[in-house]
Amino acid sequence: MRRFLTNTAQSNPRSAIVTGAGRGIGRAIALRLAQDGFDICVNDLDKNVEDVNSVVKEIQLLGRSGVAFCGDVSSMASVEEMIATSVTALGPLNVMVANAGIAQVGWPMDITEANMRKLFEVNVFGVVNSNIAAGQQFIKQGTKGKILNAASGVSFKADALLPMYSASKAAVRSLTQSFATELGRHGITVNGYAPGIVQSAMWKHIDAELGKINGLPQGENFNSFTKNIALRRTSVPEDAAKLVSYLAGPDSDYVTGQTILVDGGLVFS
């Protein structure tokens, strides 16, 4: 595992871990929480180490402390080491953001066992590992804490080409409720945030893969979703980060077990 630390003197610091934070929504969340006064442990895979280090530098420029931890959330041992690294560098953990996720596009009957396992290892087991390890850390500290899980609000015709991705994110919603029930007695809240169609690397990948199936040029699948959004625009990573800021802050202390949509009105619930 690779770890890179920057230190900035703080008074009464709060710390958060954001997984999958090298780019996209995770990066936006890490920077927003730093703006909110959190010191941040930035996690992503080894192959994204340059992105991770760049985010840590941006956090430092905001006057906060940051530590980079490259590791795979599908491994409980890696998640436990990540939390230990964060606590050693930044102090007691206050917020865990289980943001890391991957997407796969294809017809349901074409999904291979290997692809399905990989998807669920990251999107489901990654959340389970993060929730269990963070919950144990909060209990060990004797402090309340907040756990935030990345779900998905996407529900439209493209679901036919994102069957296992949609299933994995539906599992996150159920897991969020289960962990909220279990950890509530310790004063720990567990909530989900569910972005819609986001201008991000993941959605560029989805757009490209959809294009291979329906023949639309790059960008056309992504743009075609706009007409289904009440606000008539796709979202940017900062839209999700704003919701996470609320869920990570004190104003949401009596909110738990909820998965909140931040999709501009793509889905009403």
Side-chain angles (χ1 to χ4, degrees):
M1 304 300 174
R2 300 179 182 177
R3 301 167 223 176
F4 306 83
L5 175 64
T6 63
N7 286 310
T8 304
Q10 305 294 337
S11 60
N12 301 318
R14 296 175 295 164
S15 76
I17 296 172
V18 185
T19 68
R23 62 184 71 178
I25 292 175
R27 172 183 173 275
I29 290 171
L31 295 178
R32 176 55 190 259
L33 292 183
Q35 292 171 359
D36 291 346
F38 286 88
D39 297 325
I40 310 294
C41 176
V42 181
N43 160 261
D44 216 306
L45 297 172
D46 281 306
K47 67 179 183 179
N48 298 325
V49 62
E50 292 184 3
D51 293 327
V52 170
N53 287 336
S54 176
V55 176
V56 169
K57 289 178 181 177
E58 291 182 87
I59 290 168
Q60 183 181 21
L61 290 173
L62 292 170
R64 307 309 307 181
S65 294
V67 61
F69 184 89
C70 291
D72 189 342
V73 296
S74 66
S75 163
M76 176 60 91
S78 180
V79 171
E80 290 175 341
E81 184 179 357
M82 174 178 65
I83 291 177
T85 297
S86 178
V87 171
T88 298
L90 306 176
L93 182 64
N94 300 102
V95 175
M96 164 65 82
V97 184
N99 174 76
I102 60 175
Q104 294 176 356
V105 179
W107 296 109
M109 300 305 292
D110 292 336
I111 298 295
T112 67
E113 181 179 353
N115 285 342
M116 185 169 68
R117 286 186 181 277
K118 180 62 176 177
L119 187 72
F120 274 72
E121 283 173 0
V122 177
N123 291 4
V124 178
F125 282 94
V127 168
V128 171
N129 293 340
S130 298
N131 282 227
I132 290 175
Q136 290 174 338
Q137 179 63 33
F138 293 141
I139 294 170
K140 177 182 177 181
Q141 293 172 176
T143 60
K144 298 178 181 179
K146 291 174 180 282
I147 299 173
L148 307 176
N149 299 323
S152 176
V154 177
S155 179
F156 51 98
K157 291 182 180 179
D159 269 354
L161 298 174
L162 294 163
M164 292 300 105
Y165 172 77
S166 298
S168 71
K169 291 303 186 178
V172 171
R173 287 172 173 253
S174 294
L175 287 166
T176 295
Q177 295 171 4
S178 297
F179 280 109
T181 300
E182 176 64 24
L183 295 173
R185 73 191 73 176
H186 300 286
I188 300 166
T189 64
V190 186
N191 290 293
Y193 56 99
I197 313 300
V198 186
Q199 297 175 32
S200 65
M202 177 181 286
W203 271 99
K204 286 182 180 179
H205 167 71
I206 293 173
D207 179 275
E209 292 301 309
L210 287 174
K212 293 177 183 178
I213 296 171
N214 59 27
L216 291 178
Q218 182 73 39
E220 287 302 310
N221 282 293
F222 186 88
N223 292 333
S224 69
F225 300 139
T226 305
K227 66 179 181 294
N228 296 316
I229 300 172
L231 293 180
R232 293 298 188 272
R233 71 167 177 87
T234 53
S235 69
V236 295
E238 288 74 18
D239 291 319
K242 292 173 184 177
L243 175 59
V244 171
S245 173
Y246 162 71
L247 292 173
D251 288 348
S252 64
D253 283 352
Y254 200 61
V255 179
T256 196
Q258 308 304 312
T259 296
I260 302 175
L261 300 176
V262 54
D263 64 3
L266 178 62
V267 177
F268 292 160
S269 66

